[in-house]
Amino acid sequence: MRKIYVIGIGAGDPDHLTLQAAKAIGRTDVFFLLDKGEAKQSMIELRQRLMKAYGRPGRRIAEGRDPERDRTPADYEGTVTDWRSRRSEVTEALIAEHLLDDETGAFLVWGDPTLYDSTIAILDEILERGRTLFDYEVIPGISSVSALVAKHRVPLNRVGRPVQITTGRRLAEGWPDGVDDLVVMLDAQQAFAAYLQADIYWGAYIGTDDEILRSGPVAEVAEEIKETRTAARSDHGWIMDTYLLRRPPADQG
């Protein structure tokens, strides 16, 4: 039966690659790439570097076009579900056409495949349809969350305190109850600016040559982060940023 690896390759630094991931790359016959357009070519280039460094001779690359997606939908969950379904069709076609029954394929996933990535859900959807069969294994990677707090030299959690991972869209609806430490991803609207009492540890393109880090009280650095983010997105055509938002515990005033 076909075997597929879903390999986490880290947040952007080639040295983030684990030994387990490097070994899996070395066992792969076919690498699957979904082209996101010229603006994200740097993400493709990192994958190509890793394939060249650790891949076996004779490895092949199967490329498909990532379906377009509405980034400001009225129905967010419905739009994501539709996009994943269309993406699964593209992915299934690649697997069916390019991966032989006794071969191993791989998806090289930015960060960690279990954190805000759709590859696992897409492969499960393909298997549920029952048309294309394979077994798959997930290889964990260093996430942008781990890389962010390491770069800022702060712990992710405080003693006896919970940490919540959320999105900018959720944060814009209000700070969640019962938690004072938030990791926020996918925040195009920069919802952190509403929480002046918090401290922020922000990073973009973490681990890459284009890495940007900013930190401090939100009241002091919010405008700088917003301006930096806007300029970086304009320069690169895309941005991948994450931040830790930390406020004093409620029982300390």
Side-chain angles (χ1 to χ4, degrees):
M1 179 180 287
R2 300 177 177 104
K3 173 70 177 285
I4 293 177
Y5 289 117
V6 183
I7 304 173
I9 61 172
D13 187 336
D15 288 344
H16 284 173
L17 197 73
T18 67
L19 182 58
Q20 183 186 21
K23 288 180 178 179
I25 289 174
R27 292 191 290 266
T28 296
D29 300 297
V30 183
F31 292 91
F32 299 104
L33 297 178
L34 292 183
D35 180 11
K36 295 177 179 292
E38 202 171 306
K40 295 194 177 182
Q41 183 60 30
S42 59
M43 300 174 74
I44 297 291
E45 289 173 355
L46 174 62
R47 292 175 171 91
Q48 291 171 336
R49 287 175 60 187
L50 297 177
M51 286 185 279
K52 182 177 180 180
Y54 302 103
R56 62 170 61 172
R59 64 190 178 277
R60 309 190 305 279
I61 297 176
E63 296 187 63
R65 183 67 178 179
D66 202 10
E68 295 294 329
R69 172 183 163 189
D70 183 358
R71 295 292 175 177
T72 57
D75 178 11
Y76 178 80
E77 292 186 6
T79 299
V80 171
T81 298
D82 173 70
W83 171 76
R84 281 186 176 177
S85 182
R86 289 183 289 117
R87 204 177 199 217
S88 75
E89 293 286 353
V90 174
T91 302
E92 182 172 8
L94 289 175
I95 295 171
E97 180 179 353
H98 296 281
L99 192 63
L100 301 179
D101 288 341
D102 61 346
E103 288 189 321
T104 298
F107 293 87
L108 303 183
V109 175
W110 204 267
D112 182 89
T114 66
L115 184 63
Y116 285 93
D117 183 79
S118 63
T119 307
I120 294 173
I122 285 169
L123 293 181
D124 284 340
E125 183 172 324
I126 293 171
L127 290 174
E128 287 174 7
R129 286 198 289 263
R131 300 186 308 231
T132 303
L133 301 180
F134 52 84
D135 184 25
Y136 77 89
E137 179 180 347
V138 178
I139 308 296
I142 294 175
S143 72
S144 62
V145 176
S146 296
L148 172 76
V149 292
K151 287 289 186 176
H152 281 289
R153 298 184 298 179
V154 295
L156 181 59
N157 67 296
R158 288 183 283 185
V159 176
R161 299 288 177 178
V163 177
Q164 182 169 321
I165 300 176
T166 188
T167 65
R169 185 172 62 90
R170 291 294 188 186
L171 180 60
E173 297 172 356
W175 193 293
D177 295 333
V179 61
D180 296 304
D181 296 274
L182 300 175
V183 174
V184 184
M185 309 179 77
L186 307 175
D187 186 11
Q189 56 193 319
Q190 299 155 85
F192 61 82
Y195 300 99
L196 301 180
Q197 80 281 18
D199 290 328
I200 188 170
Y201 302 88
W202 176 86
Y205 315 108
I206 300 168
T208 73
D209 293 339
D210 300 312
E211 177 180 277
I212 310 170
L213 300 173
R214 297 288 187 274
S215 64
V218 171
E220 296 179 9
V221 300
E223 289 306 314
E224 180 187 359
I225 291 174
K226 289 164 69 174
E227 291 172 4
T228 300
R229 189 184 191 281
T230 299
R233 195 183 192 289
S234 176
D235 289 343
H236 297 283
W238 64 281
I239 191 166
M240 186 179 293
D241 60 335
T242 308
Y243 59 85
L244 170 65
L245 204 58
R246 174 163 284 168
R247 69 180 183 183
D251 58 11
Q252 294 182 14

Coordinates of all heavy atoms in Angstrom, one line a residue, residues 138-213:
V138 N 2.4 11.0 10.8 CA 2.7 12.4 11.0 C 4.0 12.6 11.8 O 4.2 11.9 12.8 CB 1.5 13.1 11.8 CG1 1.8 14.6 12.1 CG2 0.2 13.0 11.0
I139 N 4.9 13.4 11.2 CA 6.2 13.6 11.9 C 6.1 15.0 12.5 O 6.0 16.0 11.7 CB 7.3 13.5 10.9 CG1 7.3 12.2 10.1 CG2 8.7 13.7 11.6 CD1 7.5 11.0 10.9
P140 N 6.2 15.2 13.8 CA 6.1 16.5 14.4 C 7.2 17.5 14.0 O 8.3 17.0 13.7 CB 6.1 16.3 15.9 CG 6.8 15.0 16.0 CD 6.5 14.2 14.8
G141 N 7.0 18.8 14.0 CA 8.0 19.8 13.7 C 8.0 20.9 14.8 O 7.0 21.0 15.6
I142 N 9.0 21.7 14.7 CA 9.0 22.9 15.6 C 8.0 23.9 15.1 O 8.1 24.4 14.0 CB 10.4 23.5 15.6 CG1 11.4 22.5 16.3 CG2 10.5 24.8 16.4 CD1 12.9 22.9 16.3
S143 N 7.1 24.3 15.9 CA 6.0 25.2 15.5 C 6.5 26.6 15.6 O 7.4 26.9 16.3 CB 4.8 25.0 16.3 OG 5.0 25.5 17.7
S144 N 5.7 27.5 15.0 CA 6.0 28.9 15.1 C 5.8 29.4 16.5 O 6.5 30.4 17.0 CB 5.1 29.7 14.2 OG 3.8 29.6 14.5
V145 N 5.0 28.7 17.3 CA 4.7 29.1 18.7 C 6.0 28.8 19.5 O 6.5 29.7 20.2 CB 3.5 28.3 19.2 CG1 3.4 28.6 20.7 CG2 2.3 28.6 18.5
S146 N 6.6 27.6 19.3 CA 7.8 27.3 20.1 C 8.9 28.2 19.7 O 9.7 28.7 20.5 CB 8.2 25.8 19.8 OG 7.2 25.0 20.4
A147 N 9.1 28.4 18.3 CA 10.1 29.3 17.9 C 10.0 30.7 18.3 O 11.0 31.4 18.7 CB 10.2 29.2 16.3
L148 N 8.7 31.2 18.4 CA 8.5 32.6 18.8 C 9.0 32.8 20.3 O 9.7 33.8 20.5 CB 7.0 32.9 18.8 CG 6.5 34.2 19.4 CD1 6.9 35.4 18.5 CD2 5.1 34.2 19.7
V149 N 8.5 32.0 21.2 CA 8.9 32.2 22.6 C 10.4 32.0 22.8 O 11.0 32.6 23.7 CB 8.0 31.4 23.6 CG1 6.6 31.9 23.5 CG2 8.0 29.9 23.2
A150 N 11.0 31.0 22.1 CA 12.4 30.8 22.2 C 13.2 32.1 21.7 O 14.2 32.5 22.4 CB 12.8 29.6 21.4
K151 N 12.7 32.7 20.6 CA 13.4 33.9 20.2 C 13.3 35.0 21.2 O 14.2 35.8 21.3 CB 12.8 34.3 18.8 CG 13.2 33.4 17.6 CD 14.7 33.6 17.3 CE 15.0 32.8 16.0 NZ 16.4 33.1 15.6
H152 N 12.2 35.1 21.8 CA 12.0 36.2 22.8 C 12.5 35.8 24.2 O 12.5 36.7 25.1 CB 10.5 36.5 22.9 CG 10.0 37.4 21.8 ND1 10.3 38.7 21.7 CD2 9.1 37.1 20.8 CE1 9.7 39.3 20.6 NE2 9.0 38.3 20.0
R153 N 13.0 34.6 24.3 CA 13.5 34.1 25.6 C 12.5 34.3 26.8 O 12.8 34.7 27.9 CB 14.8 34.8 25.9 CG 15.9 34.6 24.9 CD 17.2 35.2 25.2 NE 17.1 36.6 25.3 CZ 18.1 37.5 25.6 NH1 19.3 37.0 25.9 NH2 17.9 38.8 25.7
V154 N 11.3 33.9 26.5 CA 10.2 33.9 27.5 C 9.6 32.5 27.6 O 9.5 31.8 26.5 CB 9.2 35.0 27.3 CG1 9.8 36.3 27.4 CG2 8.5 34.8 25.9
P155 N 9.1 32.0 28.7 CA 8.4 30.8 28.8 C 7.0 30.9 28.2 O 6.4 32.0 28.2 CB 8.3 30.4 30.3 CG 8.4 31.8 30.9 CD 9.3 32.6 30.1
L156 N 6.5 29.8 27.6 CA 5.2 29.9 27.0 C 4.1 30.0 28.1 O 3.1 30.6 27.9 CB 5.0 28.6 26.2 CG 3.6 28.5 25.5 CD1 3.4 29.7 24.5 CD2 3.6 27.2 24.7
N157 N 4.4 29.4 29.2 CA 3.4 29.4 30.3 C 4.0 30.0 31.6 O 5.2 30.1 31.7 CB 3.0 27.9 30.7 CG 4.1 27.1 31.3 OD1 5.1 26.9 30.6 ND2 4.0 26.7 32.5
R158 N 3.1 30.4 32.5 CA 3.5 30.9 33.8 C 3.0 29.8 34.8 O 2.0 29.1 34.6 CB 2.9 32.2 34.1 CG 3.5 33.3 33.3 CD 3.0 34.7 33.7 NE 1.7 35.0 33.1 CZ 1.0 36.1 33.2 NH1 1.6 37.1 33.8 NH2 -0.2 36.3 32.6
V159 N 3.7 29.7 35.9 CA 3.4 28.7 36.9 C 1.9 28.7 37.3 O 1.4 29.7 37.8 CB 4.3 28.8 38.1 CG1 4.0 27.7 39.2 CG2 5.8 28.7 37.7
G160 N 1.3 27.5 37.2 CA -0.1 27.4 37.6 C -1.1 28.1 36.7 O -2.3 28.2 37.1
R161 N -0.7 28.6 35.6 CA -1.6 29.4 34.7 C -1.8 28.7 33.4 O -0.8 28.1 32.8 CB -1.0 30.8 34.4 CG -0.8 31.6 35.7 CD -2.1 32.1 36.2 NE -2.0 32.8 37.5 CZ -3.0 33.4 38.2 NH1 -4.2 33.3 37.7 NH2 -2.7 34.0 39.3
P162 N -3.0 28.7 32.9 CA -3.2 28.0 31.6 C -2.8 28.9 30.4 O -2.7 30.1 30.6 CB -4.8 27.8 31.5 CG -5.3 29.0 32.4 CD -4.2 29.1 33.5
V163 N -2.5 28.3 29.3 CA -2.2 29.0 28.0 C -3.3 28.6 27.0 O -3.6 27.4 26.9 CB -0.8 28.7 27.5 CG1 -0.5 29.3 26.2 CG2 0.2 29.0 28.5
Q164 N -3.8 29.6 26.2 CA -4.7 29.3 25.2 C -4.2 29.7 23.8 O -3.6 30.8 23.7 CB -6.1 30.0 25.4 CG -7.1 29.7 24.4 CD -8.5 30.1 24.8 OE1 -8.9 30.0 26.0 NE2 -9.3 30.7 23.9
I165 N -4.3 28.9 22.8 CA -4.0 29.2 21.4 C -5.3 29.6 20.7 O -6.3 28.8 20.7 CB -3.3 28.1 20.7 CG1 -2.0 27.7 21.5 CG2 -3.0 28.4 19.3 CD1 -1.3 26.5 20.9
T166 N -5.3 30.7 20.1 CA -6.5 31.2 19.5 C -6.2 32.0 18.2 O -5.0 32.0 17.8 CB -7.4 32.1 20.4 OG1 -8.6 32.4 19.9 CG2 -6.6 33.4 20.8
T167 N -7.2 32.6 17.6 CA -7.0 33.3 16.3 C -7.3 34.8 16.6 O -8.0 35.1 17.5 CB -7.8 32.8 15.2 OG1 -9.2 33.0 15.6 CG2 -7.6 31.3 15.0
G168 N -6.8 35.6 15.7 CA -7.2 37.0 15.8 C -8.7 37.3 15.7 O -9.2 38.2 16.3
R169 N -9.3 36.5 14.8 CA -10.8 36.6 14.7 C -11.5 36.4 16.0 O -12.4 37.1 16.3 CB -11.3 35.6 13.6 CG -12.7 35.7 13.2 CD -13.0 34.9 12.1 NE -12.8 33.5 12.4 CZ -13.7 32.7 12.9 NH1 -14.9 33.1 13.2 NH2 -13.5 31.4 13.2
R170 N -11.1 35.4 16.8 CA -11.7 35.1 18.1 C -11.3 36.2 19.1 O -12.1 36.6 19.9 CB -11.2 33.7 18.6 CG -11.8 32.6 17.8 CD -13.3 32.5 17.9 NE -13.8 31.2 17.4 CZ -15.1 30.9 17.3 NH1 -16.0 31.8 17.7 NH2 -15.5 29.8 16.7
L171 N -10.0 36.6 19.1 CA -9.6 37.6 20.0 C -10.4 38.9 19.8 O -10.7 39.6 20.8 CB -8.1 37.9 19.9 CG -7.5 39.0 20.8 CD1 -7.7 38.6 22.3 CD2 -6.1 39.2 20.5
A172 N -10.8 39.2 18.6 CA -11.5 40.5 18.3 C -12.9 40.4 18.9 O -13.5 41.5 19.2 CB -11.6 40.7 16.8
E173 N -13.4 39.2 19.2 CA -14.7 39.0 19.9 C -14.6 39.2 21.4 O -15.6 39.3 22.1 CB -15.3 37.7 19.6 CG -15.5 37.4 18.1 CD -15.9 36.0 17.8 OE1 -15.9 35.2 18.7 OE2 -16.2 35.7 16.6
G174 N -13.4 39.3 21.9 CA -13.2 39.5 23.4 C -12.2 38.6 23.9 O -11.9 37.5 23.4
W175 N -11.5 39.0 25.0 CA -10.5 38.2 25.7 C -11.2 37.0 26.3 O -12.2 37.2 27.1 CB -9.8 39.0 26.7 CG -8.5 38.3 27.2 CD1 -8.4 37.2 28.0 CD2 -7.2 38.8 27.1 NE1 -7.1 36.9 28.3 CE2 -6.3 37.9 27.7 CE3 -6.6 39.9 26.4 CZ2 -4.9 38.0 27.8 CZ3 -5.2 40.0 26.4 CH2 -4.4 39.1 27.1
P176 N -10.8 35.8 26.1 CA -11.5 34.6 26.7 C -11.4 34.6 28.2 O -10.4 35.0 28.8 CB -10.8 33.4 26.0 CG -9.4 33.9 25.6 CD -9.7 35.4 25.2
D177 N -12.4 34.0 28.8 CA -12.4 33.9 30.3 C -11.5 32.9 30.8 O -11.2 31.9 30.1 CB -13.8 33.5 30.8 CG -14.9 34.6 30.5 OD1 -14.5 35.8 30.4 OD2 -16.1 34.3 30.3
G178 N -10.9 33.1 32.0 CA -10.1 32.1 32.7 C -8.7 31.9 32.2 O -8.1 30.9 32.6
V179 N -8.2 32.8 31.4 CA -6.9 32.7 30.8 C -6.2 34.1 30.7 O -6.9 35.0 30.3 CB -6.9 31.9 29.5 CG1 -7.7 32.6 28.5 CG2 -5.4 31.7 29.0
D180 N -5.0 34.2 31.0 CA -4.3 35.5 30.9 C -3.1 35.4 29.9 O -2.5 36.4 29.7 CB -3.7 35.9 32.3 CG -4.9 36.1 33.3 OD1 -5.7 37.0 33.0 OD2 -4.9 35.5 34.4
D181 N -2.8 34.2 29.4 CA -1.7 34.1 28.4 C -2.3 33.5 27.1 O -2.8 32.4 27.1 CB -0.7 33.2 28.9 CG 0.0 33.8 30.2 OD1 1.0 34.5 30.0 OD2 -0.4 33.4 31.3
L182 N -2.2 34.3 26.0 CA -2.8 33.9 24.8 C -1.8 33.9 23.7 O -1.0 34.8 23.5 CB -3.9 34.9 24.3 CG -5.1 35.1 25.2 CD1 -6.0 36.2 24.6 CD2 -5.9 33.8 25.3
V183 N -1.7 32.8 22.9 CA -0.9 32.7 21.7 C -1.9 33.0 20.6 O -2.9 32.3 20.5 CB -0.2 31.4 21.5 CG1 0.4 31.3 20.1 CG2 0.8 31.1 22.6
V184 N -1.6 34.0 19.8 CA -2.6 34.4 18.7 C -2.0 34.2 17.4 O -0.8 34.6 17.1 CB -3.0 35.8 18.9 CG1 -4.1 36.2 17.9 CG2 -3.6 36.0 20.3
M185 N -2.7 33.5 16.5 CA -2.3 33.2 15.1 C -3.3 33.8 14.2 O -4.5 34.0 14.5 CB -2.1 31.7 14.9 CG -1.2 31.1 16.0 SD -0.9 29.3 15.8 CE 0.3 29.4 14.5
L186 N -2.9 34.0 12.9 CA -3.9 34.4 11.9 C -4.6 35.7 12.2 O -5.9 35.7 12.2 CB -4.9 33.3 11.6 CG -4.3 31.9 11.3 CD1 -5.4 30.8 11.2 CD2 -3.4 31.9 10.1
D187 N -3.9 36.7 12.6 CA -4.5 37.9 13.1 C -4.3 39.1 12.0 O -3.5 40.0 12.2 CB -4.0 38.4 14.4 CG -4.7 39.6 15.0 OD1 -5.8 39.9 14.4 OD2 -4.2 40.1 16.0
A188 N -5.0 39.0 10.9 CA -4.8 40.0 9.9 C -5.4 41.4 10.4 O -4.9 42.4 9.9 CB -5.6 39.6 8.6
Q189 N -6.3 41.3 11.3 CA -6.9 42.6 11.8 C -6.2 43.2 13.0 O -6.5 44.3 13.5 CB -8.4 42.4 12.2 CG -8.6 41.3 13.2 CD -10.0 40.9 13.3 OE1 -10.9 41.7 13.2 NE2 -10.3 39.6 13.4
Q190 N -5.1 42.5 13.5 CA -4.3 43.0 14.6 C -5.1 43.4 15.8 O -5.1 44.5 16.3 CB -3.5 44.2 14.1 CG -2.5 43.8 12.9 CD -2.2 45.0 12.0 OE1 -1.2 45.7 12.3 NE2 -2.9 45.1 10.9
A191 N -5.8 42.4 16.3 CA -6.8 42.6 17.4 C -6.1 42.9 18.7 O -6.7 43.4 19.6 CB -7.6 41.3 17.5
F192 N -4.8 42.6 18.8 CA -4.1 42.9 20.0 C -4.1 44.4 20.4 O -4.0 44.7 21.6 CB -2.6 42.5 19.9 CG -1.8 43.2 18.8 CD1 -1.3 44.5 19.0 CD2 -1.7 42.6 17.5 CE1 -0.6 45.2 18.0 CE2 -1.0 43.3 16.5 CZ -0.5 44.6 16.8
A193 N -4.3 45.2 19.5 CA -4.3 46.7 19.8 C -5.3 47.1 20.7 O -5.3 48.2 21.3 CB -4.4 47.5 18.5
A194 N -6.4 46.3 20.9 CA -7.5 46.7 21.9 C -7.1 46.4 23.3 O -7.9 46.8 24.2 CB -8.7 45.9 21.5
Y195 N -6.0 45.7 23.6 CA -5.7 45.3 24.9 C -4.4 46.0 25.4 O -3.3 45.4 25.5 CB -5.5 43.7 24.9 CG -6.8 43.1 24.5 CD1 -6.9 42.6 23.2 CD2 -7.9 42.9 25.3 CE1 -8.1 42.0 22.7 CE2 -9.1 42.4 24.9 CZ -9.2 41.9 23.6 OH -10.4 41.4 23.2
L196 N -4.6 47.2 25.8 CA -3.5 48.0 26.2 C -2.8 47.6 27.5 O -1.7 48.0 27.8 CB -3.9 49.5 26.2 CG -4.5 50.1 24.9 CD1 -4.9 51.5 25.2 CD2 -3.5 50.0 23.8
Q197 N -3.5 46.9 28.3 CA -3.0 46.4 29.6 C -2.0 45.2 29.5 O -1.4 44.9 30.4 CB -4.1 46.1 30.6 CG -4.8 44.7 30.4 CD -5.7 44.6 29.2 OE1 -5.8 45.5 28.3 NE2 -6.6 43.6 29.2
A198 N -2.0 44.6 28.3 CA -1.2 43.4 28.1 C 0.2 43.7 27.6 O 0.5 44.8 27.1 CB -1.9 42.5 27.2
D199 N 1.1 42.7 27.7 CA 2.4 42.7 27.1 C 2.3 41.8 25.9 O 1.6 40.8 25.8 CB 3.5 42.2 28.0 CG 3.8 43.2 29.2 OD1 3.6 44.4 28.9 OD2 4.1 42.7 30.2
I200 N 3.1 42.2 24.8 CA 3.0 41.4 23.6 C 4.5 41.0 23.2 O 5.4 41.8 23.3 CB 2.4 42.2 22.4 CG1 2.2 41.3 21.2 CG2 3.1 43.4 22.1 CD1 1.3 41.9 20.1
Y201 N 4.6 39.7 22.7 CA 5.8 39.2 22.1 C 5.4 38.8 20.7 O 4.8 37.7 20.5 CB 6.3 38.1 23.0 CG 6.6 38.5 24.4 CD1 5.6 38.4 25.4 CD2 7.8 38.9 24.8 CE1 5.8 38.8 26.7 CE2 8.1 39.3 26.2 CZ 7.1 39.2 27.1 OH 7.3 39.6 28.4
W202 N 5.8 39.6 19.8 CA 5.4 39.4 18.4 C 6.6 39.0 17.5 O 7.7 39.4 17.7 CB 4.8 40.7 17.9 CG 4.3 40.7 16.4 CD1 3.1 40.3 15.9 CD2 5.1 41.2 15.3 NE1 3.1 40.5 14.6 CE2 4.2 41.1 14.2 CE3 6.3 41.8 15.2 CZ2 4.6 41.5 12.9 CZ3 6.8 42.2 13.9 CH2 5.9 42.0 12.8
G203 N 6.3 38.2 16.5 CA 7.3 37.8 15.5 C 6.7 37.5 14.2 O 5.6 36.9 14.1
A204 N 7.4 37.8 13.1 CA 7.0 37.5 11.7 C 8.2 36.8 11.0 O 9.4 37.1 11.3 CB 6.6 38.7 11.0
Y205 N 7.9 35.9 10.1 CA 8.9 35.1 9.3 C 9.9 34.5 10.3 O 11.1 34.5 10.0 CB 9.6 36.0 8.3 CG 8.7 36.9 7.5 CD1 8.7 38.3 7.8 CD2 7.9 36.4 6.5 CE1 7.8 39.2 7.0 CE2 7.0 37.3 5.8 CZ 7.0 38.6 6.0 OH 6.2 39.5 5.3
I206 N 9.5 34.0 11.4 CA 10.4 33.5 12.4 C 11.3 32.4 11.9 O 10.8 31.4 11.3 CB 9.6 33.0 13.6 CG1 8.7 34.1 14.2 CG2 10.5 32.5 14.7 CD1 7.7 33.7 15.2
G207 N 12.6 32.5 12.1 CA 13.5 31.5 11.7 C 14.1 31.7 10.3 O 15.0 31.0 9.9
T208 N 13.6 32.7 9.6 CA 14.1 33.0 8.3 C 15.0 34.2 8.3 O 15.1 34.9 9.3 CB 12.9 33.3 7.3 OG1 12.4 34.6 7.6 CG2 11.8 32.2 7.4
D209 N 15.6 34.4 7.1 CA 16.5 35.6 7.0 C 15.7 36.9 7.2 O 16.3 38.0 7.4 CB 17.2 35.6 5.7 CG 18.2 34.5 5.6 OD1 18.6 33.9 6.6 OD2 18.5 34.1 4.4
D210 N 14.4 36.9 7.0 CA 13.5 38.1 7.1 C 12.9 38.2 8.4 O 12.0 39.1 8.6 CB 12.4 38.0 6.0 CG 13.0 37.9 4.6 OD1 13.9 38.7 4.3 OD2 12.6 37.1 3.8
E211 N 13.3 37.5 9.4 CA 12.7 37.5 10.7 C 12.6 38.9 11.3 O 13.5 39.7 11.2 CB 13.5 36.6 11.7 CG 13.0 36.6 13.1 CD 13.9 35.7 14.0 OE1 13.6 34.5 14.0 OE2 14.8 36.2 14.6
I212 N 11.4 39.2 11.9 CA 11.2 40.5 12.6 C 10.6 40.1 14.0 O 9.7 39.4 14.1 CB 10.2 41.4 11.9 CG1 10.6 41.5 10.4 CG2 10.1 42.7 12.5 CD1 9.5 42.2 9.6
L213 N 11.2 40.8 15.0 CA 10.7 40.6 16.4 C 10.4 41.9 17.1 O 11.2 42.9 16.9 CB 11.8 39.8 17.3 CG 12.2 38.4 16.8 CD1 13.3 37.9 17.6 CD2 11.0 37.4 16.9

